[in-house]
mmCIF file of all heavy atoms in Angstrom:
data_model
loop_
_atom_site.group_PDB
_atom_site.id
_atom_site.type_symbol
_atom_site.label_atom_id
_atom_site.label_comp_id
_atom_site.label_asym_id
_atom_site.label_seq_id
_atom_site.Cartn_x
_atom_site.Cartn_y
_atom_site.Cartn_z
ATOM 1 N N ILE A 25 -3.202 2.347 -4.521
ATOM 2 C CA ILE A 25 -4.001 1.161 -4.175
ATOM 3 C C ILE A 25 -5.487 1.442 -4.429
ATOM 4 O O ILE A 25 -6.196 0.636 -5.035
ATOM 5 C CB ILE A 25 -3.781 0.740 -2.696
ATOM 6 C CG1 ILE A 25 -2.353 0.223 -2.496
ATOM 7 C CG2 ILE A 25 -4.777 -0.339 -2.280
ATOM 8 C CD1 ILE A 25 -1.996 -0.066 -1.043
ATOM 9 N N LEU A 28 -6.101 1.684 -8.214
ATOM 10 C CA LEU A 28 -6.003 0.358 -8.837
ATOM 11 C C LEU A 28 -7.210 -0.507 -8.497
ATOM 12 O O LEU A 28 -7.718 -1.241 -9.355
ATOM 13 C CB LEU A 28 -4.732 -0.344 -8.340
ATOM 14 C CG LEU A 28 -3.461 0.032 -9.089
ATOM 15 C CD1 LEU A 28 -2.242 -0.242 -8.236
ATOM 16 C CD2 LEU A 28 -3.388 -0.741 -10.396
ATOM 17 N N ALA A 29 -7.669 -0.435 -7.243
ATOM 18 C CA ALA A 29 -8.809 -1.244 -6.820
ATOM 19 C C ALA A 29 -10.047 -0.823 -7.611
ATOM 20 O O ALA A 29 -10.768 -1.659 -8.159
ATOM 21 C CB ALA A 29 -9.049 -1.059 -5.323
ATOM 22 N N GLY A 32 -9.596 -1.834 -11.287
ATOM 23 C CA GLY A 32 -9.664 -3.290 -11.436
ATOM 24 C C GLY A 32 -11.102 -3.779 -11.356
ATOM 25 O O GLY A 32 -11.562 -4.550 -12.204
ATOM 26 N N LEU A 33 -11.824 -3.298 -10.325
ATOM 27 C CA LEU A 33 -13.202 -3.774 -10.122
ATOM 28 C C LEU A 33 -14.138 -3.293 -11.224
ATOM 29 O O LEU A 33 -15.062 -4.011 -11.622
ATOM 30 C CB LEU A 33 -13.726 -3.319 -8.756
ATOM 31 C CG LEU A 33 -13.022 -3.959 -7.545
ATOM 32 C CD1 LEU A 33 -13.491 -3.311 -6.247
ATOM 33 C CD2 LEU A 33 -13.256 -5.459 -7.498
ATOM 34 N N MET A 35 -13.185 -2.290 -14.454
ATOM 35 C CA MET A 35 -12.825 -2.701 -15.829
ATOM 36 C C MET A 35 -13.304 -4.121 -16.146
ATOM 37 O O MET A 35 -13.671 -4.398 -17.281
ATOM 38 C CB MET A 35 -11.309 -2.568 -16.062
ATOM 39 C CG MET A 35 -10.486 -3.691 -15.505
ATOM 40 S SD MET A 35 -8.741 -3.323 -15.579
ATOM 41 C CE MET A 35 -8.082 -4.866 -14.954
ATOM 42 N N VAL A 36 -13.309 -5.014 -15.096
ATOM 43 C CA VAL A 36 -13.738 -6.387 -15.404
ATOM 44 C C VAL A 36 -15.240 -6.467 -15.686
ATOM 45 O O VAL A 36 -15.724 -7.461 -16.218
ATOM 46 C CB VAL A 36 -13.342 -7.407 -14.284
ATOM 47 C CG1 VAL A 36 -11.847 -7.609 -14.239
ATOM 48 C CG2 VAL A 36 -13.889 -7.004 -12.930
ATOM 49 N N ARG A 44 -12.540 -0.598 -22.274
ATOM 50 C CA ARG A 44 -11.995 -1.640 -21.400
ATOM 51 C C ARG A 44 -10.480 -1.806 -21.644
ATOM 52 O O ARG A 44 -9.707 -1.973 -20.694
ATOM 53 C CB ARG A 44 -12.724 -2.959 -21.637
ATOM 54 C CG ARG A 44 -12.207 -4.052 -20.726
ATOM 55 C CD ARG A 44 -13.044 -5.302 -20.798
ATOM 56 N NE ARG A 44 -12.399 -6.371 -20.051
ATOM 57 C CZ ARG A 44 -13.032 -7.310 -19.393
ATOM 58 N NH1 ARG A 44 -14.342 -7.336 -19.384
ATOM 59 N NH2 ARG A 44 -12.372 -8.239 -18.749
ATOM 60 N N SER A 48 -7.762 -1.145 -18.811
ATOM 61 C CA SER A 48 -6.855 -2.234 -18.465
ATOM 62 C C SER A 48 -5.393 -1.802 -18.623
ATOM 63 O O SER A 48 -4.541 -2.113 -17.788
ATOM 64 C CB SER A 48 -7.195 -3.432 -19.361
ATOM 65 O OG SER A 48 -6.255 -4.422 -19.198
ATOM 66 N N HIS A 51 -4.613 0.389 -15.708
ATOM 67 C CA HIS A 51 -4.501 -0.460 -14.517
ATOM 68 C C HIS A 51 -3.110 -1.108 -14.462
ATOM 69 O O HIS A 51 -2.441 -1.092 -13.437
ATOM 70 C CB HIS A 51 -5.602 -1.524 -14.573
ATOM 71 C CG HIS A 51 -5.597 -2.494 -13.437
ATOM 72 N ND1 HIS A 51 -6.171 -2.231 -12.214
ATOM 73 C CD2 HIS A 51 -5.079 -3.744 -13.327
ATOM 74 C CE1 HIS A 51 -6.019 -3.265 -11.421
ATOM 75 N NE2 HIS A 51 -5.352 -4.214 -12.064
ATOM 76 N N LYS A 52 -2.676 -1.640 -15.598
ATOM 77 C CA LYS A 52 -1.381 -2.338 -15.612
ATOM 78 C C LYS A 52 -0.228 -1.351 -15.411
ATOM 79 O O LYS A 52 0.720 -1.647 -14.665
ATOM 80 C CB LYS A 52 -1.210 -3.075 -16.950
ATOM 81 C CG LYS A 52 -2.205 -4.213 -17.136
ATOM 82 C CD LYS A 52 -1.961 -4.874 -18.480
ATOM 83 C CE LYS A 52 -3.180 -5.536 -19.061
ATOM 84 N NZ LYS A 52 -2.943 -6.054 -20.406
ATOM 85 N N GLY A 55 -0.185 -0.357 -11.842
ATOM 86 C CA GLY A 55 0.259 -1.504 -11.037
ATOM 87 C C GLY A 55 1.770 -1.688 -11.108
ATOM 88 O O GLY A 55 2.414 -1.989 -10.102
ATOM 89 N N LEU A 56 2.336 -1.462 -12.289
ATOM 90 C CA LEU A 56 3.796 -1.572 -12.422
ATOM 91 C C LEU A 56 4.483 -0.433 -11.666
ATOM 92 O O LEU A 56 5.543 -0.628 -11.056
ATOM 93 C CB LEU A 56 4.191 -1.535 -13.903
ATOM 94 C CG LEU A 56 3.764 -2.764 -14.716
ATOM 95 C CD1 LEU A 56 3.953 -2.513 -16.212
ATOM 96 C CD2 LEU A 56 4.557 -4.005 -14.284
ATOM 97 N N LEU A 58 3.292 0.955 -9.006
ATOM 98 C CA LEU A 58 3.197 0.565 -7.591
ATOM 99 C C LEU A 58 4.280 -0.464 -7.236
ATOM 100 O O LEU A 58 4.926 -0.358 -6.193
ATOM 101 C CB LEU A 58 1.807 0.013 -7.297
ATOM 102 C CG LEU A 58 1.599 -0.376 -5.837
ATOM 103 C CD1 LEU A 58 0.266 0.147 -5.329
ATOM 104 C CD2 LEU A 58 1.647 -1.864 -5.630
ATOM 105 N N LEU A 100 1.617 -6.417 -1.398
ATOM 106 C CA LEU A 100 1.834 -5.333 -2.362
ATOM 107 C C LEU A 100 2.859 -5.728 -3.422
ATOM 108 O O LEU A 100 2.968 -5.087 -4.463
ATOM 109 C CB LEU A 100 2.257 -4.045 -1.640
ATOM 110 C CG LEU A 100 1.110 -3.381 -0.881
ATOM 111 C CD1 LEU A 100 1.595 -2.194 -0.067
ATOM 112 C CD2 LEU A 100 -0.006 -2.945 -1.844
ATOM 113 N N MET A 103 0.500 -8.746 -5.535
ATOM 114 C CA MET A 103 -0.585 -8.266 -6.421
ATOM 115 C C MET A 103 -0.067 -7.901 -7.810
ATOM 116 O O MET A 103 -0.546 -8.435 -8.812
ATOM 117 C CB MET A 103 -1.313 -7.078 -5.773
ATOM 118 C CG MET A 103 -2.296 -7.449 -4.690
ATOM 119 S SD MET A 103 -3.529 -8.625 -5.227
ATOM 120 C CE MET A 103 -4.404 -7.692 -6.465
ATOM 121 N N PRO A 104 0.908 -6.985 -7.918
ATOM 122 C CA PRO A 104 1.374 -6.678 -9.273
ATOM 123 C C PRO A 104 2.047 -7.862 -9.956
ATOM 124 O O PRO A 104 1.885 -8.060 -11.167
ATOM 125 C CB PRO A 104 2.364 -5.515 -9.073
ATOM 126 C CG PRO A 104 2.561 -5.349 -7.624
ATOM 127 C CD PRO A 104 1.492 -6.081 -6.908
ATOM 128 N N GLY A 107 -0.606 -10.111 -11.287
ATOM 129 C CA GLY A 107 -1.227 -9.465 -12.444
ATOM 130 C C GLY A 107 -0.341 -9.614 -13.671
ATOM 131 O O GLY A 107 -0.813 -9.928 -14.772
ATOM 132 N N TRP A 108 0.960 -9.415 -13.472
ATOM 133 C CA TRP A 108 1.932 -9.527 -14.567
ATOM 134 C C TRP A 108 1.970 -10.970 -15.093
ATOM 135 O O TRP A 108 1.982 -11.219 -16.300
ATOM 136 C CB TRP A 108 3.300 -9.085 -14.038
ATOM 137 C CG TRP A 108 4.365 -8.851 -15.070
ATOM 138 C CD1 TRP A 108 4.363 -9.240 -16.383
ATOM 139 C CD2 TRP A 108 5.603 -8.165 -14.864
ATOM 140 N NE1 TRP A 108 5.520 -8.846 -16.999
ATOM 141 C CE2 TRP A 108 6.303 -8.180 -16.095
ATOM 142 C CE3 TRP A 108 6.200 -7.540 -13.765
ATOM 143 C CZ2 TRP A 108 7.563 -7.604 -16.243
ATOM 144 C CZ3 TRP A 108 7.455 -6.969 -13.910
ATOM 145 C CH2 TRP A 108 8.115 -7.002 -15.137
ATOM 146 N N PHE A 110 -0.455 -13.222 -14.793
ATOM 147 C CA PHE A 110 -1.724 -13.492 -15.500
ATOM 148 C C PHE A 110 -1.661 -12.946 -16.925
ATOM 149 O O PHE A 110 -2.026 -13.607 -17.896
ATOM 150 C CB PHE A 110 -2.889 -12.852 -14.735
ATOM 151 C CG PHE A 110 -4.177 -12.881 -15.497
ATOM 152 C CD1 PHE A 110 -4.907 -14.050 -15.609
ATOM 153 C CD2 PHE A 110 -4.663 -11.748 -16.140
ATOM 154 C CE1 PHE A 110 -6.093 -14.094 -16.341
ATOM 155 C CE2 PHE A 110 -5.838 -11.781 -16.869
ATOM 156 C CZ PHE A 110 -6.554 -12.956 -16.969
ATOM 157 N N ASN A 111 -1.157 -11.707 -17.015
ATOM 158 C CA ASN A 111 -1.063 -11.039 -18.315
ATOM 159 C C ASN A 111 -0.153 -11.829 -19.270
ATOM 160 O O ASN A 111 -0.500 -12.055 -20.432
ATOM 161 C CB ASN A 111 -0.488 -9.639 -18.071
ATOM 162 C CG ASN A 111 -0.746 -8.695 -19.206
ATOM 163 O OD1 ASN A 111 -1.880 -8.318 -19.455
ATOM 164 N ND2 ASN A 111 0.305 -8.335 -19.925
ATOM 165 N N LEU A 118 2.489 -6.088 -22.683
ATOM 166 C CA LEU A 118 2.540 -5.243 -21.482
ATOM 167 C C LEU A 118 3.420 -4.025 -21.748
ATOM 168 O O LEU A 118 4.578 -4.152 -22.128
ATOM 169 C CB LEU A 118 3.095 -6.057 -20.298
ATOM 170 C CG LEU A 118 3.116 -5.354 -18.945
ATOM 171 C CD1 LEU A 118 1.727 -4.909 -18.518
ATOM 172 C CD2 LEU A 118 3.717 -6.268 -17.875
ATOM 173 N N ARG A 141 -4.727 -15.588 -11.928
ATOM 174 C CA ARG A 141 -5.946 -14.769 -11.805
ATOM 175 C C ARG A 141 -6.580 -14.960 -10.430
ATOM 176 O O ARG A 141 -7.033 -14.010 -9.808
ATOM 177 C CB ARG A 141 -6.942 -15.149 -12.907
ATOM 178 C CG ARG A 141 -8.000 -14.090 -13.159
ATOM 179 C CD ARG A 141 -8.926 -14.491 -14.297
ATOM 180 N NE ARG A 141 -9.775 -15.620 -13.909
ATOM 181 C CZ ARG A 141 -10.903 -15.495 -13.197
ATOM 182 N NH1 ARG A 141 -11.302 -14.305 -12.812
ATOM 183 N NH2 ARG A 141 -11.613 -16.545 -12.884
ATOM 184 N N HIS A 144 -4.533 -13.142 -7.895
ATOM 185 C CA HIS A 144 -4.792 -11.713 -8.032
ATOM 186 C C HIS A 144 -6.141 -11.355 -7.395
ATOM 187 O O HIS A 144 -6.256 -10.354 -6.692
ATOM 188 C CB HIS A 144 -4.805 -11.367 -9.525
ATOM 189 C CG HIS A 144 -4.490 -9.935 -9.834
ATOM 190 N ND1 HIS A 144 -3.263 -9.363 -9.583
ATOM 191 C CD2 HIS A 144 -5.245 -8.938 -10.386
ATOM 192 C CE1 HIS A 144 -3.280 -8.090 -9.966
ATOM 193 N NE2 HIS A 144 -4.476 -7.802 -10.445
ATOM 194 N N PHE A 145 -7.137 -12.187 -7.605
ATOM 195 C CA PHE A 145 -8.485 -11.927 -7.089
ATOM 196 C C PHE A 145 -8.524 -12.047 -5.557
ATOM 197 O O PHE A 145 -8.918 -11.124 -4.854
ATOM 198 C CB PHE A 145 -9.476 -12.902 -7.741
ATOM 199 C CG PHE A 145 -10.888 -12.738 -7.245
ATOM 200 C CD1 PHE A 145 -11.713 -11.759 -7.775
ATOM 201 C CD2 PHE A 145 -11.390 -13.561 -6.249
ATOM 202 C CE1 PHE A 145 -13.018 -11.596 -7.314
ATOM 203 C CE2 PHE A 145 -12.694 -13.401 -5.772
ATOM 204 C CZ PHE A 145 -13.508 -12.420 -6.308
ATOM 205 N N PHE A 148 -6.360 -9.639 -3.626
ATOM 206 C CA PHE A 148 -6.954 -8.311 -3.506
ATOM 207 C C PHE A 148 -7.847 -8.226 -2.271
ATOM 208 O O PHE A 148 -7.763 -7.275 -1.489
ATOM 209 C CB PHE A 148 -7.737 -7.947 -4.772
ATOM 210 C CG PHE A 148 -8.533 -6.688 -4.599
ATOM 211 C CD1 PHE A 148 -7.885 -5.468 -4.465
ATOM 212 C CD2 PHE A 148 -9.912 -6.714 -4.524
ATOM 213 C CE1 PHE A 148 -8.601 -4.293 -4.265
ATOM 214 C CE2 PHE A 148 -10.640 -5.546 -4.328
ATOM 215 C CZ PHE A 148 -9.984 -4.337 -4.205
ATOM 216 N N LEU A 151 -5.878 -8.106 0.760
ATOM 217 C CA LEU A 151 -5.283 -6.770 0.881
ATOM 218 C C LEU A 151 -6.307 -5.784 1.450
ATOM 219 O O LEU A 151 -5.982 -4.978 2.332
ATOM 220 C CB LEU A 151 -4.789 -6.300 -0.498
ATOM 221 C CG LEU A 151 -4.127 -4.917 -0.558
ATOM 222 C CD1 LEU A 151 -2.828 -4.902 0.234
ATOM 223 C CD2 LEU A 151 -3.836 -4.512 -2.009
HETATM 224 C C1 HEM B 201 -1.302 -3.541 -6.187
HETATM 225 C C2 HEM B 201 -1.508 -3.652 -7.487
HETATM 226 C C3 HEM B 201 -2.798 -4.146 -8.064
HETATM 227 C C4 HEM B 201 -4.059 -4.198 -7.511
HETATM 228 C C5 HEM B 201 -4.509 -3.740 -6.117
HETATM 229 C C6 HEM B 201 -4.926 -4.804 -8.496
HETATM 230 C C7 HEM B 201 -6.285 -5.038 -8.337
HETATM 231 C C8 HEM B 201 -7.096 -5.673 -9.239
HETATM 232 C C9 HEM B 201 -8.490 -5.961 -9.058
HETATM 233 C C10 HEM B 201 -9.318 -5.589 -7.826
HETATM 234 C C11 HEM B 201 -8.935 -6.610 -10.150
HETATM 235 C C12 HEM B 201 -10.351 -7.147 -10.380
HETATM 236 C C13 HEM B 201 -10.388 -8.620 -9.998
HETATM 237 C C14 HEM B 201 -11.751 -9.216 -10.284
HETATM 238 O O1 HEM B 201 -12.742 -8.740 -9.687
HETATM 239 O O2 HEM B 201 -11.802 -10.171 -11.076
HETATM 240 C C15 HEM B 201 -7.831 -6.729 -11.072
HETATM 241 C C16 HEM B 201 -7.878 -7.337 -12.314
HETATM 242 C C17 HEM B 201 -6.808 -7.408 -13.195
HETATM 243 N N1 HEM B 201 -5.534 -6.953 -12.986
HETATM 244 FE FE1 HEM B 201 -4.861 -6.039 -11.343
HETATM 245 N N2 HEM B 201 -4.182 -5.097 -9.626
HETATM 246 C C18 HEM B 201 -2.877 -4.697 -9.401
HETATM 247 C C19 HEM B 201 -1.820 -4.793 -10.280
HETATM 248 C C20 HEM B 201 -1.865 -5.323 -11.566
HETATM 249 C C21 HEM B 201 -0.769 -5.397 -12.519
HETATM 250 C C22 HEM B 201 0.654 -4.855 -12.269
HETATM 251 C C23 HEM B 201 -1.229 -6.019 -13.614
HETATM 252 C C24 HEM B 201 -0.510 -6.376 -14.918
HETATM 253 C C25 HEM B 201 0.748 -6.120 -15.166
HETATM 254 C C26 HEM B 201 -2.624 -6.318 -13.401
HETATM 255 C C27 HEM B 201 -3.438 -6.953 -14.304
HETATM 256 C C28 HEM B 201 -4.773 -7.236 -14.110
HETATM 257 C C29 HEM B 201 -5.606 -7.884 -15.098
HETATM 258 C C30 HEM B 201 -5.182 -8.336 -16.490
HETATM 259 C C31 HEM B 201 -6.888 -8.011 -14.513
HETATM 260 C C32 HEM B 201 -8.147 -8.626 -15.142
HETATM 261 C C33 HEM B 201 -8.273 -10.053 -14.621
HETATM 262 C C34 HEM B 201 -9.462 -10.721 -15.273
HETATM 263 O O3 HEM B 201 -9.683 -10.470 -16.450
HETATM 264 O O4 HEM B 201 -10.128 -11.495 -14.565
HETATM 265 N N3 HEM B 201 -2.984 -5.890 -12.142
HETATM 266 N N4 HEM B 201 -6.719 -6.154 -10.487
#
Side-chain angles (χ1 to χ4, degrees):
I25 292 173
L28 277 158
L33 293 173
M35 80 189 183
V36 291
R44 181 172 172 147
S48 172
H51 179 83
K52 294 180 207 175
L56 291 169
L58 182 134
L100 287 174
M103 282 305 296
W108 192 345
F110 170 76
N111 199 68
L118 184 59
R141 199 178 69 82
H144 204 65
F145 178 82
F148 171 68
L151 180 65

